Amino acid sequence: MRWDSLFDDLAGQLDHELGVDDAGLDLEEERLRRGRLTLRDRILACARAGGAPVLLELADGSALRLIPRTFGRDWFAAVVAGAEHRELVIPMWAVSSIRLGPAEVEMSLAPADRPESRLVDRLTLSFVLRDLSRRRTAVRIACATGTVHGTIDRVGRDHLDVAVHEPGSSRRSSNVVEIRVIAFSTVVSVERSGLG
């Protein structure tokens, strides 16, 4: 009888220590997961948690309430909250900070469900800009140094050429004021001109 009680006590101690070890491992795995989170992951988690607007501060000093819709590799497309017809493409490097309330912090740290990889998840900003150039779409480009209205003529590896013209006018030689070569690193947002 005494042996049974001793073995039961040892088994209980071992179960307790294994449980403590498992909890420690879980805690360490969670710390590692959070340490690997990117800004993109945090914005994506907020977007998936119900589609509420996210307040972002951008590199040009502006703060926008956005509803992120589509995520590429290094950019995302979002609708400006309260302006349903205003959709922006924002490079991830243009996001200075996310402003969150205490409840939103936990939401942004939630593990992301990893759906099947879609093609759009792998598209880069340069691909999106080349498509706008190919379509000859008039755009408004917000940069760290100001705003440019025009049509994208060509897209290089780290820059784009914009034929600058008045908003609402078409890209004709007579309407082009100048060609502006813009470094990707200064682009804050891209918006189709005339939509907002």
Side-chain angles (χ1 to χ4, degrees):
M1 195 81 139
R2 284 183 20 206
W3 289 107
D4 290 340
S5 153
L6 175 67
F7 294 142
D8 287 344
D9 185 45
L10 286 173
Q13 288 178 24
L14 182 60
D15 282 344
H16 173 71
E17 287 182 23
L18 288 174
V20 168
D21 284 347
D22 287 347
L25 284 173
D26 291 345
L27 188 60
E28 185 60 26
E29 283 178 15
E30 180 62 10
R31 265 190 288 234
L32 287 171
R33 185 192 68 78
R34 288 183 176 191
R36 289 189 297 265
L37 285 175
T38 64
L39 198 56
R40 180 185 186 276
D41 294 333
R42 303 281 300 265
I43 296 169
L44 182 59
C46 288
R48 288 187 176 159
V54 180
L55 181 56
L56 299 178
E57 290 181 349
L58 303 178
D60 65 351
S62 63
L64 294 173
R65 283 201 175 281
L66 300 170
I67 303 168
R69 299 273 195 225
T70 306
F71 287 80
R73 182 188 299 170
D74 57 356
W75 60 274
F76 66 97
V79 173
V80 177
E84 306 311 319
H85 299 291
R86 227 181 132 204
E87 187 169 5
L88 306 173
V89 172
I90 299 175
M92 288 308 304
W93 60 78
V95 177
S96 297
S97 66
I98 310 170
R99 294 165 89 181
L100 301 170
E104 296 168 316
V105 171
E106 284 305 313
M107 180 176 58
S108 78
L109 293 170
D113 297 332
R114 296 288 180 196
E116 285 185 34
S117 180
R118 300 175 310 156
L119 178 61
V120 71
D121 296 329
R122 297 189 307 259
L123 297 180
T124 62
L125 180 66
S126 61
F127 185 88
V128 173
L129 296 174
R130 281 187 187 96
D131 186 61
L132 290 170
S133 173
R134 183 179 56 79
R135 293 172 190 262
R136 309 306 293 156
T137 303
V139 294
R140 176 186 171 275
I141 301 174
C143 299
T145 56
T147 302
V148 176
H149 292 271
T151 304
I152 301 170
D153 278 348
R154 66 194 63 69
V155 179
R157 179 181 224 166
D158 62 353
H159 66 280
L160 64 149
D161 293 6
V162 178
V164 179
H165 54 79
E166 288 294 317
S169 66
S170 59
R171 197 242 183 263
R172 291 198 172 101
S173 297
S174 59
N175 294 339
V176 174
V177 176
E178 68 180 349
I179 303 296
R180 181 92 50 103
V181 180
I182 302 172
F184 282 172
S185 61
T186 67
V187 174
V188 174
S189 66
V190 179
E191 178 179 8
R192 285 186 286 159
S193 190
L195 296 178

